[in-house]
């Protein structure tokens, strides 16, 4: 697979320095190169250095596959970037984050599960979508990210880790016109769960203020971004009101 930044990349300047010093010291033996990037497996070539645990993203089919130890454990339709905004190639998951807000020139999108793999592009849930797959991306695509149903994003978040390979490609002949749906109940569940997590943290203190303020502001923005139908299904909305009031009180007294 061409493209991407995943793989074994030698730190040439450091390696030259190390080799030079070894030669000057008249040392012999085997040395491990100085790497600035590593992959899951060494020495099996560009077609397999990601090992047997990876995410496979077929942009043509708008379908994702996650293999763990060689076994397919998650698959799903998605919506990718409009006008080829999603880059192809092999990348590595950079990190996994809960309750992130993705900001761009004309948008601000709160997401429950954020897994970037390249230059602001990543996997995440999309509470503003009720359908995924097919040809949605052609007219209503993302800014480059892989938009997923929240249940799928949760599964991936709980399984992926930094460094997991993400293989993004196009494959002629795999086009699909079918789509899958995401219910308002599923959409609301992301915020319902978040409010439970926030409440479990207890009172706002100086020690947890940064995390709590971030999460509470995220929850408020997430609620405001929901459709009226999804808002009606946020069964614990009172927890949001209490959290926002508690944050306002803390800010006014500290």
């Amino acid at each position: 697979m061409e493209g991407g930044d995943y793989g074994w990349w030698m730190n040439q300047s450091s390696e030259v320095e190390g080799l030079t010093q070894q030669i000057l010291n008249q040392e012999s033996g085997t040395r491990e190169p100085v790497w600035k990037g590593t992959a899951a497996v060494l020495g099996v070539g560009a077609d397999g250095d990601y090992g047997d645990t990876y995410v496979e993203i077929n942009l043509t089919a708008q379908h994702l596959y996650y293999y763990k130890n060689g076994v397919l454990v998650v698959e799903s339709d998605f919506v990718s970037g409009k006008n080829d905004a999603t880059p192809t190639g092999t990348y590595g998951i950079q990190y996994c984050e809960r309750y992130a807000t993705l900001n761009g020139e004309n948008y601000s999108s709160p997401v429950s599960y954020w897994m970037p793999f390249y230059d602001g592009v990543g996997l995440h849930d999309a509470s503003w979508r009720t359908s995924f797959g097919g040809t949605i991306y052609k007219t209503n695509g993302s800014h480059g990210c892989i938009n997923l149903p929240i249940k799928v994003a949760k599964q991936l978040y709980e399984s992926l880790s930094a460094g997991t390979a993400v293989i993004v490609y196009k494959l002629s002949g795999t086009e699909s016109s079918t789509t899958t749906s995401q219910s308002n109940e599923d959409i609301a569940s992301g915020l319902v769960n978040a409010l439970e997590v926030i409440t479990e943290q207890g009172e706002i203190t100086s020690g947890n203020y940064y995390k709590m303020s971030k999460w509470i502001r995220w929850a408020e923005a997430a609620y405001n971004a929901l459709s009226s139908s999804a808002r009606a299904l946020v069964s614990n909305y009172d927890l949001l009101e209490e959290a926002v009031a508690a944050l306002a009180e803390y800010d006014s007294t500290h």
Side-chain angles (χ1 to χ4, degrees):
M1 169 64 67
E2 295 184 357
D5 56 7
Y6 184 85
W8 297 90
W9 297 86
M10 184 183 295
N11 188 323
Q12 294 184 1
S13 60
S14 295
E15 182 62 17
V16 168
E17 182 179 343
L19 282 170
T20 301
Q21 191 60 51
Q22 195 167 352
I23 291 170
L24 291 174
N25 294 338
Q26 298 183 341
E27 298 175 2
S28 62
T30 302
R31 58 176 280 121
E32 175 76 12
V34 180
W35 303 107
K36 64 178 180 180
T38 60
V41 182
L42 176 62
V44 295
D47 292 332
D49 58 1
Y50 45 80
D52 59 5
T53 297
Y54 56 90
V55 179
E56 185 177 326
I57 297 174
N58 184 339
L59 296 177
T60 308
Q62 292 287 284
H63 204 76
L64 170 150
Y65 309 86
Y66 170 55
Y67 292 89
K68 185 173 184 179
N69 299 323
V71 178
L72 177 63
V73 292
V74 178
E75 66 173 302
S76 173
D77 287 336
F78 59 77
V79 176
S80 64
K82 184 179 179 181
N83 297 325
D84 291 326
T86 303
T88 58
T90 304
Y91 306 88
I93 292 291
Q94 296 171 342
Y95 58 87
C96 299
E97 181 182 355
R98 290 298 310 270
Y99 312 132
T101 300
L102 312 181
N103 296 304
E105 185 176 350
N106 300 309
Y107 67 92
S108 181
S109 304
V111 300
S112 294
Y113 305 98
W114 171 228
M115 296 154 279
F117 55 80
Y118 175 73
D119 194 26
V121 173
L123 307 160
H124 63 75
D125 55 292
S127 61
W128 53 92
R129 295 189 185 277
T130 55
S131 297
F132 300 85
T135 58
I136 296 171
Y137 74 101
K138 293 183 178 181
T139 56
N140 189 25
S142 72
H143 294 88
C145 287
I146 303 299
N147 289 187
L148 295 161
I150 190 166
K151 286 184 176 180
V152 175
K154 180 177 185 293
Q155 285 181 286
L156 292 174
Y157 177 87
E158 292 173 346
S159 299
L160 302 184
S161 58
T164 302
V166 179
I167 307 165
V168 189
Y169 62 91
K170 297 177 181 179
L171 184 60
S172 179
T174 62
E175 295 84 355
S176 173
S177 60
T178 61
T179 61
T180 54
S181 299
Q182 173 172 244
S183 68
N184 282 317
E185 287 82 2
D186 288 343
I187 293 171
S189 70
L191 183 55
V192 169
N193 293 337
L195 292 173
E196 292 175 354
V197 170
I198 291 170
T199 301
E200 289 170 358
Q201 307 305 305
E203 295 184 357
I204 301 173
T205 66
S206 58
N208 69 11
Y209 175 79
Y210 175 79
K211 179 176 72 175
M212 290 290 280
S213 61
K214 174 190 172 184
W215 285 7
I216 292 170
R217 289 174 181 134
W218 176 92
E220 189 173 27
Y223 179 80
N224 291 334
L226 293 179
S227 67
S228 57
S229 298
R231 287 184 190 180
L233 297 171
V234 180
S235 57
N236 54 359
Y237 174 72
D238 58 310
L239 297 181
L240 176 59
E241 293 182 309
E242 292 171 4
V244 171
L247 180 60
E249 181 178 359
Y250 187 93
D251 286 339
S252 67
T253 57
H254 291 79

